[in-house]
Amino acid sequence: ADAPRLDLGAEWTRTTGLPFVYAFWAGRHGAVVPSDVARLQEALREGTGRLGTIAAAHAGGDPARAAAYEEYLRENIVYRLGEEEAAGLREFYRRAHALSLVPAVPELRFHAEA
C-alpha cells in the first residue's frame, strides 16, 4: 500500500492561514547592487513570458503534457513575494526560532523594483 502523503504547503496554509514560500532569491545585505537586482527582475520577466516554451521543452514533444506543464507553471507557482507571502515567511522564521532551529528571526529587507 502507498504511504500516506502530506502536502506541506497545504498543511502550512491550513494551520497558519498564510501561503507557504517554497523558494526565494536571498543574500546577505550589500551582496548585490541595484543593477544585479534589475538583472534578476529582467530574468523573471523573460522567464514568465516564456512559460509555454519552457513547458514544451520539457514535454518530450507531447502537446498534452506541454499544456499541463504550462498550466502548472501559470496556476501553481507564485513568482512575486507579496505581503501575504512575506507574512508566511516571517511566521515560518518565527516558528523555527521558537523551536531553536534558527538563532534569530531575521529581518526581511527587500530591494525596490528596478
Side-chain angles (χ1 to χ4, degrees):
D2 289 334
R5 293 178 185 239
L6 178 66
D7 181 325
L8 294 177
E11 188 64 18
W12 174 262
T13 300
R14 185 189 67 73
T15 303
T16 66
L18 297 166
F20 187 77
V21 176
Y22 290 91
F24 57 94
W25 289 332
R28 64 180 165 66
H29 184 69
V32 296
V33 296
S35 63
D36 296 324
V37 174
R39 284 195 303 246
L40 289 170
Q41 292 169 342
E42 179 59 25
L44 172 65
R45 281 188 292 278
E46 285 183 25
T48 54
R50 297 179 181 163
L51 295 179
T53 302
I54 293 167
H58 293 278
D62 181 338
R65 281 179 51 196
Y69 292 171
E70 183 175 356
E71 180 181 357
Y72 180 85
L73 292 172
R74 290 191 189 284
E75 302 298 326
N76 295 90
I77 298 178
V78 176
Y79 296 94
R80 301 277 182 191
L81 190 71
E83 286 301 318
E84 285 289 304
E85 290 80 16
L89 190 55
R90 286 184 186 97
E91 180 62 14
F92 181 87
Y93 279 124
R94 188 193 69 73
R95 289 176 184 226
H97 177 63
L99 294 169
S100 300
L101 298 173
V102 295
V105 176
E107 176 189 354
L108 301 181
R109 293 183 299 229
F110 301 97
H111 284 276
E113 288 284 329

